């Protein structure tokens, strides 16, 4: 079950990368590269910052295979963006939720030194949202994550990570804490999109 | 005293990040993110490249708290940019100086393998100036650091790091060497801004 | 011989960086910075992802000296871009080939955990091509690597790395496998430029 959802997260992130690359008129190399950055960028940054070896996509190589499969297939389907647009929201929210909670869990369980809940929640956000940020930067766009024109995204991850970490701290069983965090992130994200919750732009 | 100045460096870098994010019409997430990148980006890159664990903002978590405090407060103050502009130069120069000298000192004291003064001076520049570079890249601007339109910045850090490293090599007491380097960087930077010292643009 | 070619690769990458920086009207700091990123960015990313310490440009400091020498000289030669343009293709192809094959070899020989040929080929591409990608991003351009407007580049590296890895796997002597890979990449790249081989742009 968990394995299946991890796959779904990678697939969803990969599809987002394909759409982003296609909207920039990139070729197959660009699609593979951007999909890779979206799906694995956040987790790779987390592993490098926490000095975890080997990186998760080296240890679990089938994720990389799956991703390139999606990129190659996704590159050739005509009018993919139009077809996917209305379907992508839910897997995207699920991908954000799963990556974030897994990232926060990995950080809090680091054994080489103590990591506080605050730092762990930051690693949750980094794992969930920084792949998309890096891909936006590579595609020469100001990261949507940072703009007031898009509904809450990293805020959902941040809140959900705290739900997970606090339940864990309170002694709740790991799977219950984990799924509570995931559900909060997905629900919060869908609600934010539905009712357009966002921070105001700051004035100059 | 040193602790206080470190704080001042983080605060100054954080304020620069707030201004940069506000000039890009970002929201609260963007302000926190950009402030984080400016203040901690260079030091994080240094720690990753030298494989130092844990990262300094994980080991000294209060820096991260301070930074987010600045970002959150800084996001809501009206007309902050106009109010700060004339005051930011000195803490910015001080932040550059402190981060650079600390970075060079950390590199030269690495014990796992020998690091030459040349490499240490590069790490000084990376620590002091690359946070701003990364933030410029994330904000979709060519890094000001690299442009001929701005007065010397990384050059000041480079020169000051050599002053520090050579005094250290000559057997001068660590605190004296350290403060000499800091003073040189601050003075050089302020003079560069005052008299508009810079490299010419290269022709195509 | 090998040492000489490594130097040639660094020089070629450095010159490409100088041209890129000059086309963006950068100053001496920008030229040094961009040349550094082009020449050492891919190898540094490889070393960080594989947790190899010390980084190659810290262990072999003369590469860094050579690079800054090129950058400083290259900054002052008038009309350098026009003079170099017609000569840069071959050292650039050679640089791509050497960096890629060396990168794939380092990845496959990692002893701390097993790295498959697929992952090793990705590290070859990262080592050979990601320095240029990072430099494009820093210069605020969509990476040429990812665009359909340029002939095959990373594809040549990918194919050549597989030639090298498969020959190695088949028991062929290391030097023969290595040079076969290098020759394939150089020949493939020159042919791609000559006959304008590329992937089509994907439709939105």
């Amino acid at each position: 079950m968990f394995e299946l959802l991890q796959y779904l997260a990678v697939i969803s992130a990969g599809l987002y990368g394909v759409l982003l690359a296609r909207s920039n008129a990139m070729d197959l190399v660009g699609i593979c590269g951007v999909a890779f950055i979206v799906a694995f960028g956040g987790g790779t940054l987390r592993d490098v910052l926490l000095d975890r070896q080997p990186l998760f996509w080296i240890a679990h190589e089938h994720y990389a295979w799956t991703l390139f499969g999606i990129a190659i297939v996704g590159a050739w389907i005509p009018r993919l963006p139009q077809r996917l647009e209305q379907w992508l929201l839910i897997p995207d929210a699920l991908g954000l939720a799963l990556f974030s909670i897994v990232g926060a869990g990995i950080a809090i369980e680091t054994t080489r030194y103590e990591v506080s809940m605050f730092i762990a929640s930051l690693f949750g956000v980094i794992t969930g949202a920084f792949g998309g940020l890096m891909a936006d930067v590579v595609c020469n766009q100001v990261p949507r994550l940072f703009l007031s024109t898009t509904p809450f995204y990293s805020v959902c991850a941040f809140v959900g990570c705290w739900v997970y970490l606090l339940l864990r701290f309170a002694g709740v069983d790991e799977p219950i804490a984990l799924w509570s965090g995931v559900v909060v992130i997905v629900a919060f994200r869908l609600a934010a999109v539905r009712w357009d919750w966002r921070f105001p732009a700051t004035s100059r």
Side-chain angles (χ1 to χ4, degrees), chain A:
Chain A
M1 181 65 181
F2 189 72
E3 188 75 357
L4 180 76
L5 285 167
Q6 280 265 56
Y7 255 98
L8 204 61
V10 169
I11 290 170
S12 167
L15 282 174
Y16 177 78
V18 170
L19 297 191
L20 183 61
R22 287 181 69 157
S23 74
N24 281 280
M26 289 182 172
D27 67 359
L28 185 60
V29 174
I31 289 178
C32 289
V34 173
F36 197 91
I37 292 170
V38 173
F40 297 151
T44 302
L45 184 58
R46 175 202 62 213
D47 286 351
V48 167
L49 295 184
L50 291 175
D51 202 21
R52 283 164 40 91
Q53 283 284 330
L55 303 180
F56 74 104
W57 51 270
I58 297 180
H60 305 286
E61 198 187 320
H62 52 273
Y63 287 130
W65 283 101
T66 307
L67 187 84
F68 284 114
I70 291 166
I72 289 167
V73 171
W76 304 122
I77 299 175
R79 297 195 304 113
L80 184 74
Q82 293 87 325
R83 290 181 190 191
L84 267 184
E85 214 155 47
Q86 69 224 65
W87 301 106
L88 208 59
L89 183 63
I90 290 168
D92 182 52
L94 206 53
L96 174 68
L98 290 164
F99 277 141
S100 300
I101 298 293
V102 168
I106 285 174
I108 202 80
E109 277 167 19
T110 299
T111 49
R112 292 174 48 197
Y113 44 86
E114 207 176 342
V115 170
S116 71
M117 286 203 282
F118 175 59
I119 297 290
S121 70
L122 292 186
F123 273 100
V125 174
I126 287 173
T127 309
F130 267 51
L133 182 144
M134 286 186 222
D136 281 346
V137 169
V138 166
C139 290
N140 208 10
Q141 301 173 353
V142 177
R144 260 156 289 188
L145 200 62
F146 283 177
L147 292 179
S148 56
T149 49
T150 48
F152 285 151
Y153 191 80
S154 50
V155 173
C156 311
F158 188 70
V159 170
C161 287
W162 274 102
V163 169
Y164 162 63
L165 292 166
L166 288 173
L167 286 178
R168 216 169 175 279
F169 183 71
V172 173
D173 280 353
E174 173 74 18
I176 296 175
L178 195 149
W179 287 109
S180 305
V182 168
V183 167
V184 166
I185 295 176
V186 171
F188 191 3
R189 169 66 183 159
L190 294 181
V193 171
R194 174 69 186 78
W195 289 288
D196 199 22
W197 292 342
R198 44 171 125 161
F199 287 121
T202 52
S203 63
R204 304 203 170 195

